[in-house]
Amino acid sequence: MDGLPVMRGAASYWVLRAVAATVLLGAAASCSSGTAGGTASPASATASATPIPAGPVTAEISQFRDNYSKHIIDIQPTNTTGHGRTVLGPELTSPLFSAPIIGSARTGGIELPPGQPKSLPAPLPAPDCGNPAGPGATSGAAGDAHVSLRLATPEGAVPVPAMAQATDPFGVLARNNSELCLAREASAVATIGLDPELEVAADGQTAVVRLLLQPRAAGAGELVIDRIEETTLLAEASQAPWPRSVTVRAGGAPAQVRLGIRPSRCDPHAVAEDKVGTLLPLQVRVAGREGIVKIDAGSQLRARIYDFVTKACGRQ
C-alpha cells in the first residue's frame, strides 16, 4: 500500500510536534564524492557545525498521536529532485531497539512525486532496555541512529543503500524506548487493565471506570502508581477523587480502583476527533524507572465512554 501523503496546515500540527529526526540521504552525492556507505555528521536540532550534504531524498521520523499506544512511528521520505523517484524501503537502526525498524513499502516501491512527503508506518520492535534513555533525550544521549534508504534508478537498478546518521531532537525514539521498557518492568509485577463495563450515574453526568490490578503470582517486585492523570476526553469527578500512591506487589491479592469520571470537554469535536482520550495515563515507579504507562480502554469500553461523553455533554 502506498505511503500516506503528509498533511499540511493546521492538521499537521501534531505531526510537526512529533518530528524526531531529519536525515539527508546522499545516494547520488555520496557516489560522486566517494563516500558511499559512510555516515554523515549528526545534525543539530538548531544548527549543525558540519552540514550533511543534501541528497535526492530527505527523511523525517515522526509519530502520529493515534499511533502512540501502538508504538508505531512514521518514516517520511521527501523527494528533493525535480522528477519522480521510487523508494524501495526505508530502514532505521538504533541501539535503543533490538532489531531494525522497517518502514512499510509495497512490491515495486513507493512513488515519490517531487517535493511531496509520504508517510511510511514502521512498527517498533522490542526495546533494548540496557541503556535507559529519558523522554527528553536526544540522539547524542540516546545513541546513534541510522537510516538507510534504497532508491530505484530510472533504469530500474537498485543501488547500494545510502546510510546517514539520524538526529532525534524531539526524543521520539528515546520516549518510545522509555515507555516500552517501563511497561515491561510494570508487567513483570502486575497486569494492569480497565474493566470493559462502565457504571453511569443516574443523572448521566458522571460515570465510574474500574482499574484492575492483577499482581503476578511469583516474584518480589513492587510497583507504585503515584497518580492517575486526566486525558483530553476524561477528567476526575470532583465527588470521587482519584487515589494516589497505590502500591502493587507481586504475589499480592488482585484489586480494583474505582475512578469517577466526567467529560473534560464538550466541544463538537471532542469525540469525533479523539485519538488518545481513552488511554489512561498512570504515573508509575518500578525497578528504578519512572514515567507514564498508558492503559488502553479497549474497543468495548472505548465505545461506552464515547457514548457516555456524548450523552453527558448533550445534557449540559
Side-chain angles (χ1 to χ4, degrees):
M1 181 172 64
D2 281 346
L4 299 175
V6 178
M7 295 179 293
R8 298 298 186 189
S12 66
Y13 173 77
W14 287 104
V15 175
L16 296 177
R17 285 289 305 273
V19 170
T22 300
V23 186
L24 297 180
L25 304 173
S30 295
C31 291
S32 62
S33 62
T35 59
T39 59
S41 300
S44 168
T46 52
S48 175
T50 308
I52 303 172
V57 173
T58 64
E60 292 179 348
I61 308 302
S62 65
Q63 187 172 37
F64 296 102
R65 295 178 68 207
D66 53 350
N67 279 333
Y68 279 15
S69 66
K70 303 172 187 175
H71 293 288
I72 295 175
I73 64 171
D74 285 84
I75 302 175
Q76 296 178 338
T78 299
N79 179 6
T80 64
T81 70
H83 52 84
R85 298 301 299 262
T86 301
V87 176
L88 299 173
E91 180 176 304
L92 172 69
T93 58
S94 166
L96 295 177
F97 295 91
S98 59
I101 303 166
I102 309 297
S104 64
R106 66 184 178 91
T107 303
I110 300 295
E111 295 300 320
L112 291 182
Q116 174 62 65
K118 288 201 175 180
S119 186
L120 307 179
L124 292 172
D128 185 332
C129 299
N131 297 298
T138 64
S139 61
D144 292 336
H146 296 85
V147 166
S148 63
L149 187 68
R150 293 184 300 147
L151 299 177
T153 66
E155 295 76 22
V158 181
V160 175
M163 182 170 284
Q165 192 171 35
T167 61
D168 192 359
F170 295 95
V172 168
L173 293 178
R175 172 173 56 78
N176 278 273
N177 170 274
S178 178
E179 290 175 355
L180 288 167
C181 291
L182 182 66
R184 176 185 290 181
E185 296 290 356
S187 66
V189 176
T191 299
I192 305 176
L194 291 168
D195 192 305
E197 298 297 326
L198 181 68
E199 298 178 16
V200 180
D203 64 2
Q205 294 300 302
T206 63
V208 172
V209 296
R210 292 186 295 275
L211 183 67
L212 306 179
L213 307 173
Q214 178 64 58
R216 298 292 182 188
E222 180 178 281
L223 165 71
V224 178
I225 304 174
D226 287 318
R227 66 180 183 276
I228 301 167
E229 299 186 355
E230 296 180 341
T231 76
T232 55
L233 198 63
L234 303 176
E236 178 184 51
S238 58
Q239 65 270 34
W242 296 350
R244 290 175 176 263
S245 301
V246 176
T247 300
V248 184
R249 294 183 177 88
Q256 64 175 252
V257 179
R258 293 172 61 84
L259 305 174
I261 61 171
R262 61 176 175 82
S264 62
R265 49 184 288 204
C266 280
D267 59 274
H269 306 290
V271 171
E273 298 181 359
D274 178 64
K275 301 295 185 184
V276 295
T278 59
L279 293 176
L280 191 65
L282 309 182
Q283 180 70 42
V284 307
R285 287 179 286 123
V286 59
R289 295 178 181 269
E290 60 180 287
I292 297 290
V293 172
K294 295 177 181 177
I295 308 301
D296 193 339
S299 58
Q300 289 186 349
L301 181 57
R302 183 179 303 113
R304 289 166 177 156
I305 288 174
Y306 286 163
D307 183 64
F308 158 70
V309 170
T310 300
K311 290 179 179 178
C313 289
R315 292 185 175 97
Q316 293 182 5

PDB file of all heavy atoms in Angstrom, residues 181-183 185-187 189 192 221-227 244-249 282-293:
ATOM      1  N   CYS A 181      10.136   0.067  27.871  1.00  0.00           N
ATOM      2  CA  CYS A 181      10.903  -0.572  28.943  1.00  0.00           C
ATOM      3  C   CYS A 181      10.180  -0.434  30.277  1.00  0.00           C
ATOM      4  O   CYS A 181      10.172  -1.372  31.093  1.00  0.00           O
ATOM      5  CB  CYS A 181      12.303   0.038  29.021  1.00  0.00           C
ATOM      6  SG  CYS A 181      13.373  -0.376  27.608  1.00  0.00           S
ATOM      7  N   LEU A 182       9.564   0.714  30.506  1.00  0.00           N
ATOM      8  CA  LEU A 182       8.793   0.910  31.737  1.00  0.00           C
ATOM      9  C   LEU A 182       7.608  -0.047  31.777  1.00  0.00           C
ATOM     10  O   LEU A 182       7.319  -0.673  32.808  1.00  0.00           O
ATOM     11  CB  LEU A 182       8.310   2.351  31.826  1.00  0.00           C
ATOM     12  CG  LEU A 182       7.531   2.736  33.089  1.00  0.00           C
ATOM     13  CD1 LEU A 182       8.430   2.669  34.315  1.00  0.00           C
ATOM     14  CD2 LEU A 182       6.935   4.130  32.943  1.00  0.00           C
ATOM     15  N   ALA A 183       6.914  -0.183  30.654  1.00  0.00           N
ATOM     16  CA  ALA A 183       5.771  -1.105  30.591  1.00  0.00           C
ATOM     17  C   ALA A 183       6.219  -2.541  30.825  1.00  0.00           C
ATOM     18  O   ALA A 183       5.508  -3.334  31.462  1.00  0.00           O
ATOM     19  CB  ALA A 183       5.085  -0.971  29.238  1.00  0.00           C
ATOM     20  N   GLU A 185       8.782  -3.554  32.697  1.00  0.00           N
ATOM     21  CA  GLU A 185       9.045  -3.718  34.123  1.00  0.00           C
ATOM     22  C   GLU A 185       7.739  -3.768  34.920  1.00  0.00           C
ATOM     23  O   GLU A 185       7.606  -4.548  35.865  1.00  0.00           O
ATOM     24  CB  GLU A 185       9.925  -2.565  34.631  1.00  0.00           C
ATOM     25  CG  GLU A 185      11.320  -2.510  34.031  1.00  0.00           C
ATOM     26  CD  GLU A 185      12.210  -3.652  34.502  1.00  0.00           C
ATOM     27  OE1 GLU A 185      11.778  -4.462  35.353  1.00  0.00           O
ATOM     28  OE2 GLU A 185      13.357  -3.742  34.009  1.00  0.00           O
ATOM     29  N   ALA A 186       6.778  -2.928  34.536  1.00  0.00           N
ATOM     30  CA  ALA A 186       5.498  -2.916  35.245  1.00  0.00           C
ATOM     31  C   ALA A 186       4.766  -4.235  35.076  1.00  0.00           C
ATOM     32  O   ALA A 186       4.185  -4.770  36.030  1.00  0.00           O
ATOM     33  CB  ALA A 186       4.636  -1.757  34.748  1.00  0.00           C
ATOM     34  N   SER A 187       4.789  -4.784  33.854  1.00  0.00           N
ATOM     35  CA  SER A 187       4.071  -6.029  33.598  1.00  0.00           C
ATOM     36  C   SER A 187       4.712  -7.210  34.308  1.00  0.00           C
ATOM     37  O   SER A 187       4.063  -8.245  34.509  1.00  0.00           O
ATOM     38  CB  SER A 187       4.006  -6.297  32.088  1.00  0.00           C
ATOM     39  OG  SER A 187       5.302  -6.537  31.561  1.00  0.00           O
ATOM     40  N   VAL A 189       5.517  -7.107  37.351  1.00  0.00           N
ATOM     41  CA  VAL A 189       4.949  -7.045  38.700  1.00  0.00           C
ATOM     42  C   VAL A 189       3.461  -7.363  38.682  1.00  0.00           C
ATOM     43  O   VAL A 189       2.950  -8.115  39.523  1.00  0.00           O
ATOM     44  CB  VAL A 189       5.179  -5.662  39.339  1.00  0.00           C
ATOM     45  CG1 VAL A 189       4.494  -5.567  40.700  1.00  0.00           C
ATOM     46  CG2 VAL A 189       6.669  -5.381  39.465  1.00  0.00           C
ATOM     47  N   ILE A 192      -2.123  -4.795  34.405  1.00  0.00           N
ATOM     48  CA  ILE A 192      -2.989  -3.648  34.682  1.00  0.00           C
ATOM     49  C   ILE A 192      -3.913  -3.450  33.491  1.00  0.00           C
ATOM     50  O   ILE A 192      -3.460  -3.391  32.341  1.00  0.00           O
ATOM     51  CB  ILE A 192      -2.167  -2.373  34.938  1.00  0.00           C
ATOM     52  CG1 ILE A 192      -1.159  -2.602  36.067  1.00  0.00           C
ATOM     53  CG2 ILE A 192      -3.082  -1.207  35.278  1.00  0.00           C
ATOM     54  CD1 ILE A 192      -0.234  -1.426  36.313  1.00  0.00           C
ATOM     55  N   GLY A 221       8.771  -8.125  43.089  1.00  0.00           N
ATOM     56  CA  GLY A 221       8.802  -6.739  42.638  1.00  0.00           C
ATOM     57  C   GLY A 221       7.675  -5.898  43.233  1.00  0.00           C
ATOM     58  O   GLY A 221       6.691  -6.411  43.767  1.00  0.00           O
ATOM     59  N   GLU A 222       7.858  -4.590  43.132  1.00  0.00           N
ATOM     60  CA  GLU A 222       6.872  -3.640  43.646  1.00  0.00           C
ATOM     61  C   GLU A 222       6.669  -2.523  42.636  1.00  0.00           C
ATOM     62  O   GLU A 222       7.623  -2.026  42.037  1.00  0.00           O
ATOM     63  CB  GLU A 222       7.343  -3.070  44.980  1.00  0.00           C
ATOM     64  CG  GLU A 222       6.396  -2.072  45.601  1.00  0.00           C
ATOM     65  CD  GLU A 222       6.879  -1.579  46.947  1.00  0.00           C
ATOM     66  OE1 GLU A 222       6.703  -2.307  47.943  1.00  0.00           O
ATOM     67  OE2 GLU A 222       7.453  -0.464  47.008  1.00  0.00           O
ATOM     68  N   LEU A 223       5.424  -2.158  42.464  1.00  0.00           N
ATOM     69  CA  LEU A 223       5.046  -1.092  41.538  1.00  0.00           C
ATOM     70  C   LEU A 223       4.246  -0.047  42.306  1.00  0.00           C
ATOM     71  O   LEU A 223       3.329  -0.397  43.046  1.00  0.00           O
ATOM     72  CB  LEU A 223       4.198  -1.672  40.403  1.00  0.00           C
ATOM     73  CG  LEU A 223       3.407  -0.707  39.516  1.00  0.00           C
ATOM     74  CD1 LEU A 223       4.355   0.073  38.613  1.00  0.00           C
ATOM     75  CD2 LEU A 223       2.388  -1.463  38.670  1.00  0.00           C
ATOM     76  N   VAL A 224       4.589   1.219  42.126  1.00  0.00           N
ATOM     77  CA  VAL A 224       3.858   2.305  42.783  1.00  0.00           C
ATOM     78  C   VAL A 224       3.213   3.182  41.722  1.00  0.00           C
ATOM     79  O   VAL A 224       3.901   3.706  40.838  1.00  0.00           O
ATOM     80  CB  VAL A 224       4.773   3.162  43.682  1.00  0.00           C
ATOM     81  CG1 VAL A 224       3.978   4.312  44.315  1.00  0.00           C
ATOM     82  CG2 VAL A 224       5.413   2.307  44.769  1.00  0.00           C
ATOM     83  N   ILE A 225       1.900   3.314  41.801  1.00  0.00           N
ATOM     84  CA  ILE A 225       1.175   4.251  40.943  1.00  0.00           C
ATOM     85  C   ILE A 225       1.069   5.559  41.712  1.00  0.00           C
ATOM     86  O   ILE A 225       0.258   5.696  42.625  1.00  0.00           O
ATOM     87  CB  ILE A 225      -0.225   3.711  40.579  1.00  0.00           C
ATOM     88  CG1 ILE A 225      -0.119   2.338  39.915  1.00  0.00           C
ATOM     89  CG2 ILE A 225      -0.942   4.688  39.655  1.00  0.00           C
ATOM     90  CD1 ILE A 225      -1.457   1.670  39.646  1.00  0.00           C
ATOM     91  N   ASP A 226       1.927   6.515  41.391  1.00  0.00           N
ATOM     92  CA  ASP A 226       1.950   7.773  42.121  1.00  0.00           C
ATOM     93  C   ASP A 226       0.678   8.582  41.918  1.00  0.00           C
ATOM     94  O   ASP A 226       0.143   9.170  42.854  1.00  0.00           O
ATOM     95  CB  ASP A 226       3.172   8.611  41.707  1.00  0.00           C
ATOM     96  CG  ASP A 226       4.466   8.039  42.269  1.00  0.00           C
ATOM     97  OD1 ASP A 226       4.459   7.625  43.443  1.00  0.00           O
ATOM     98  OD2 ASP A 226       5.468   7.997  41.540  1.00  0.00           O
ATOM     99  N   ARG A 227       0.214   8.598  40.680  1.00  0.00           N
ATOM    100  CA  ARG A 227      -1.030   9.330  40.400  1.00  0.00           C
ATOM    101  C   ARG A 227      -1.590   8.862  39.067  1.00  0.00           C
ATOM    102  O   ARG A 227      -0.891   8.243  38.264  1.00  0.00           O
ATOM    103  CB  ARG A 227      -0.801  10.840  40.379  1.00  0.00           C
ATOM    104  CG  ARG A 227       0.085  11.342  39.262  1.00  0.00           C
ATOM    105  CD  ARG A 227       0.273  12.856  39.307  1.00  0.00           C
ATOM    106  NE  ARG A 227       1.072  13.341  38.204  1.00  0.00           N
ATOM    107  CZ  ARG A 227       2.406  13.362  38.191  1.00  0.00           C
ATOM    108  NH1 ARG A 227       3.083  12.912  39.253  1.00  0.00           N
ATOM    109  NH2 ARG A 227       3.067  13.811  37.140  1.00  0.00           N
ATOM    110  N   ARG A 244      -4.040   8.254  45.059  1.00  0.00           N
ATOM    111  CA  ARG A 244      -2.619   8.470  44.800  1.00  0.00           C
ATOM    112  C   ARG A 244      -1.810   7.445  45.586  1.00  0.00           C
ATOM    113  O   ARG A 244      -2.276   6.879  46.575  1.00  0.00           O
ATOM    114  CB  ARG A 244      -2.191   9.890  45.191  1.00  0.00           C
ATOM    115  CG  ARG A 244      -2.757  10.972  44.267  1.00  0.00           C
ATOM    116  CD  ARG A 244      -2.402  12.364  44.777  1.00  0.00           C
ATOM    117  NE  ARG A 244      -2.846  13.403  43.849  1.00  0.00           N
ATOM    118  CZ  ARG A 244      -2.078  13.974  42.932  1.00  0.00           C
ATOM    119  NH1 ARG A 244      -0.808  13.598  42.817  1.00  0.00           N
ATOM    120  NH2 ARG A 244      -2.554  14.903  42.136  1.00  0.00           N
ATOM    121  N   SER A 245      -0.577   7.253  45.141  1.00  0.00           N
ATOM    122  CA  SER A 245       0.374   6.369  45.829  1.00  0.00           C
ATOM    123  C   SER A 245      -0.205   4.987  46.091  1.00  0.00           C
ATOM    124  O   SER A 245      -0.240   4.499  47.228  1.00  0.00           O
ATOM    125  CB  SER A 245       0.842   7.019  47.139  1.00  0.00           C
ATOM    126  OG  SER A 245       1.465   8.253  46.888  1.00  0.00           O
ATOM    127  N   VAL A 246      -0.658   4.341  45.036  1.00  0.00           N
ATOM    128  CA  VAL A 246      -1.175   2.980  45.127  1.00  0.00           C
ATOM    129  C   VAL A 246      -0.010   2.010  44.902  1.00  0.00           C
ATOM    130  O   VAL A 246       0.656   2.066  43.864  1.00  0.00           O
ATOM    131  CB  VAL A 246      -2.286   2.729  44.090  1.00  0.00           C
ATOM    132  CG1 VAL A 246      -2.744   1.285  44.146  1.00  0.00           C
ATOM    133  CG2 VAL A 246      -3.448   3.683  44.315  1.00  0.00           C
ATOM    134  N   THR A 247       0.235   1.138  45.876  1.00  0.00           N
ATOM    135  CA  THR A 247       1.341   0.182  45.785  1.00  0.00           C
ATOM    136  C   THR A 247       0.821  -1.201  45.415  1.00  0.00           C
ATOM    137  O   THR A 247      -0.142  -1.693  46.010  1.00  0.00           O
ATOM    138  CB  THR A 247       2.111   0.097  47.117  1.00  0.00           C
ATOM    139  OG1 THR A 247       2.645   1.391  47.432  1.00  0.00           O
ATOM    140  CG2 THR A 247       3.262  -0.903  47.016  1.00  0.00           C
ATOM    141  N   VAL A 248       1.460  -1.798  44.421  1.00  0.00           N
ATOM    142  CA  VAL A 248       1.107  -3.149  43.967  1.00  0.00           C
ATOM    143  C   VAL A 248       2.348  -4.024  44.109  1.00  0.00           C
ATOM    144  O   VAL A 248       3.426  -3.652  43.631  1.00  0.00           O
ATOM    145  CB  VAL A 248       0.626  -3.150  42.505  1.00  0.00           C
ATOM    146  CG1 VAL A 248       0.181  -4.538  42.095  1.00  0.00           C
ATOM    147  CG2 VAL A 248      -0.488  -2.135  42.304  1.00  0.00           C
ATOM    148  N   ARG A 249       2.189  -5.177  44.785  1.00  0.00           N
ATOM    149  CA  ARG A 249       3.328  -6.072  44.997  1.00  0.00           C
ATOM    150  C   ARG A 249       3.068  -7.419  44.342  1.00  0.00           C
ATOM    151  O   ARG A 249       1.958  -7.959  44.436  1.00  0.00           O
ATOM    152  CB  ARG A 249       3.586  -6.255  46.489  1.00  0.00           C
ATOM    153  CG  ARG A 249       4.045  -4.982  47.194  1.00  0.00           C
ATOM    154  CD  ARG A 249       4.348  -5.244  48.671  1.00  0.00           C
ATOM    155  NE  ARG A 249       4.844  -4.028  49.321  1.00  0.00           N
ATOM    156  CZ  ARG A 249       4.059  -3.120  49.876  1.00  0.00           C
ATOM    157  NH1 ARG A 249       2.739  -3.289  49.860  1.00  0.00           N
ATOM    158  NH2 ARG A 249       4.588  -2.046  50.441  1.00  0.00           N
ATOM    159  N   LEU A 282      -0.945   6.477  33.696  1.00  0.00           N
ATOM    160  CA  LEU A 282      -0.564   6.220  35.081  1.00  0.00           C
ATOM    161  C   LEU A 282       0.883   6.648  35.284  1.00  0.00           C
ATOM    162  O   LEU A 282       1.776   6.203  34.555  1.00  0.00           O
ATOM    163  CB  LEU A 282      -0.691   4.730  35.422  1.00  0.00           C
ATOM    164  CG  LEU A 282      -2.009   4.011  35.084  1.00  0.00           C
ATOM    165  CD1 LEU A 282      -1.938   2.569  35.550  1.00  0.00           C
ATOM    166  CD2 LEU A 282      -3.194   4.726  35.683  1.00  0.00           C
ATOM    167  N   GLN A 283       1.129   7.516  36.252  1.00  0.00           N
ATOM    168  CA  GLN A 283       2.494   7.898  36.600  1.00  0.00           C
ATOM    169  C   GLN A 283       3.008   6.862  37.593  1.00  0.00           C
ATOM    170  O   GLN A 283       2.498   6.760  38.712  1.00  0.00           O
ATOM    171  CB  GLN A 283       2.528   9.290  37.218  1.00  0.00           C
ATOM    172  CG  GLN A 283       3.913   9.776  37.612  1.00  0.00           C
ATOM    173  CD  GLN A 283       4.800  10.086  36.419  1.00  0.00           C
ATOM    174  OE1 GLN A 283       4.333  10.674  35.443  1.00  0.00           O
ATOM    175  NE2 GLN A 283       6.071   9.709  36.498  1.00  0.00           N
ATOM    176  N   VAL A 284       3.992   6.049  37.159  1.00  0.00           N
ATOM    177  CA  VAL A 284       4.414   4.918  37.979  1.00  0.00           C
ATOM    178  C   VAL A 284       5.912   4.936  38.249  1.00  0.00           C
ATOM    179  O   VAL A 284       6.692   5.586  37.543  1.00  0.00           O
ATOM    180  CB  VAL A 284       4.027   3.572  37.307  1.00  0.00           C
ATOM    181  CG1 VAL A 284       2.547   3.539  36.961  1.00  0.00           C
ATOM    182  CG2 VAL A 284       4.874   3.312  36.070  1.00  0.00           C
ATOM    183  N   ARG A 285       6.288   4.154  39.285  1.00  0.00           N
ATOM    184  CA  ARG A 285       7.684   3.885  39.609  1.00  0.00           C
ATOM    185  C   ARG A 285       7.841   2.381  39.770  1.00  0.00           C
ATOM    186  O   ARG A 285       7.079   1.745  40.488  1.00  0.00           O
ATOM    187  CB  ARG A 285       8.092   4.585  40.906  1.00  0.00           C
ATOM    188  CG  ARG A 285       8.250   6.095  40.791  1.00  0.00           C
ATOM    189  CD  ARG A 285       8.629   6.718  42.119  1.00  0.00           C
ATOM    190  NE  ARG A 285       7.516   6.777  43.062  1.00  0.00           N
ATOM    191  CZ  ARG A 285       7.527   6.234  44.275  1.00  0.00           C
ATOM    192  NH1 ARG A 285       8.588   5.550  44.693  1.00  0.00           N
ATOM    193  NH2 ARG A 285       6.484   6.353  45.070  1.00  0.00           N
ATOM    194  N   VAL A 286       8.851   1.821  39.102  1.00  0.00           N
ATOM    195  CA  VAL A 286       9.092   0.388  39.206  1.00  0.00           C
ATOM    196  C   VAL A 286      10.518   0.077  38.763  1.00  0.00           C
ATOM    197  O   VAL A 286      10.997   0.620  37.766  1.00  0.00           O
ATOM    198  CB  VAL A 286       8.078  -0.410  38.349  1.00  0.00           C
ATOM    199  CG1 VAL A 286       8.160  -0.025  36.882  1.00  0.00           C
ATOM    200  CG2 VAL A 286       8.262  -1.907  38.533  1.00  0.00           C
ATOM    201  N   ALA A 287      11.211  -0.741  39.534  1.00  0.00           N
ATOM    202  CA  ALA A 287      12.556  -1.243  39.172  1.00  0.00           C
ATOM    203  C   ALA A 287      13.519  -0.122  38.790  1.00  0.00           C
ATOM    204  O   ALA A 287      14.292  -0.259  37.847  1.00  0.00           O
ATOM    205  CB  ALA A 287      12.447  -2.266  38.046  1.00  0.00           C
ATOM    206  N   GLY A 288      13.476   0.969  39.523  1.00  0.00           N
ATOM    207  CA  GLY A 288      14.382   2.082  39.259  1.00  0.00           C
ATOM    208  C   GLY A 288      13.982   2.979  38.107  1.00  0.00           C
ATOM    209  O   GLY A 288      14.695   3.920  37.784  1.00  0.00           O
ATOM    210  N   ARG A 289      12.882   2.695  37.468  1.00  0.00           N
ATOM    211  CA  ARG A 289      12.376   3.532  36.376  1.00  0.00           C
ATOM    212  C   ARG A 289      11.123   4.266  36.843  1.00  0.00           C
ATOM    213  O   ARG A 289      10.415   3.806  37.737  1.00  0.00           O
ATOM    214  CB  ARG A 289      12.036   2.685  35.147  1.00  0.00           C
ATOM    215  CG  ARG A 289      13.222   2.010  34.487  1.00  0.00           C
ATOM    216  CD  ARG A 289      12.773   1.158  33.308  1.00  0.00           C
ATOM    217  NE  ARG A 289      13.871   0.485  32.656  1.00  0.00           N
ATOM    218  CZ  ARG A 289      14.563   0.982  31.633  1.00  0.00           C
ATOM    219  NH1 ARG A 289      14.212   2.168  31.138  1.00  0.00           N
ATOM    220  NH2 ARG A 289      15.552   0.322  31.087  1.00  0.00           N
ATOM    221  N   GLU A 290      10.847   5.384  36.214  1.00  0.00           N
ATOM    222  CA  GLU A 290       9.597   6.083  36.467  1.00  0.00           C
ATOM    223  C   GLU A 290       9.145   6.793  35.204  1.00  0.00           C
ATOM    224  O   GLU A 290       9.953   7.143  34.345  1.00  0.00           O
ATOM    225  CB  GLU A 290       9.735   7.090  37.609  1.00  0.00           C
ATOM    226  CG  GLU A 290      10.752   8.188  37.406  1.00  0.00           C
ATOM    227  CD  GLU A 290      10.782   9.111  38.619  1.00  0.00           C
ATOM    228  OE1 GLU A 290       9.829   9.902  38.781  1.00  0.00           O
ATOM    229  OE2 GLU A 290      11.738   9.017  39.405  1.00  0.00           O
ATOM    230  N   GLY A 291       7.839   6.939  35.094  1.00  0.00           N
ATOM    231  CA  GLY A 291       7.293   7.581  33.906  1.00  0.00           C
ATOM    232  C   GLY A 291       5.827   7.220  33.753  1.00  0.00           C
ATOM    233  O   GLY A 291       5.165   6.796  34.709  1.00  0.00           O
ATOM    234  N   ILE A 292       5.326   7.384  32.532  1.00  0.00           N
ATOM    235  CA  ILE A 292       3.914   7.173  32.244  1.00  0.00           C
ATOM    236  C   ILE A 292       3.694   5.820  31.584  1.00  0.00           C
ATOM    237  O   ILE A 292       4.356   5.476  30.611  1.00  0.00           O
ATOM    238  CB  ILE A 292       3.369   8.274  31.318  1.00  0.00           C
ATOM    239  CG1 ILE A 292       3.454   9.647  32.004  1.00  0.00           C
ATOM    240  CG2 ILE A 292       1.931   7.977  30.897  1.00  0.00           C
ATOM    241  CD1 ILE A 292       2.498   9.820  33.159  1.00  0.00           C
ATOM    242  N   VAL A 293       2.766   5.044  32.138  1.00  0.00           N
ATOM    243  CA  VAL A 293       2.253   3.836  31.490  1.00  0.00           C
ATOM    244  C   VAL A 293       0.815   4.135  31.088  1.00  0.00           C
ATOM    245  O   VAL A 293      -0.002   4.531  31.934  1.00  0.00           O
ATOM    246  CB  VAL A 293       2.296   2.615  32.426  1.00  0.00           C
ATOM    247  CG1 VAL A 293       1.566   1.431  31.797  1.00  0.00           C
ATOM    248  CG2 VAL A 293       3.735   2.230  32.732  1.00  0.00           C
TER     249      VAL A 293
END
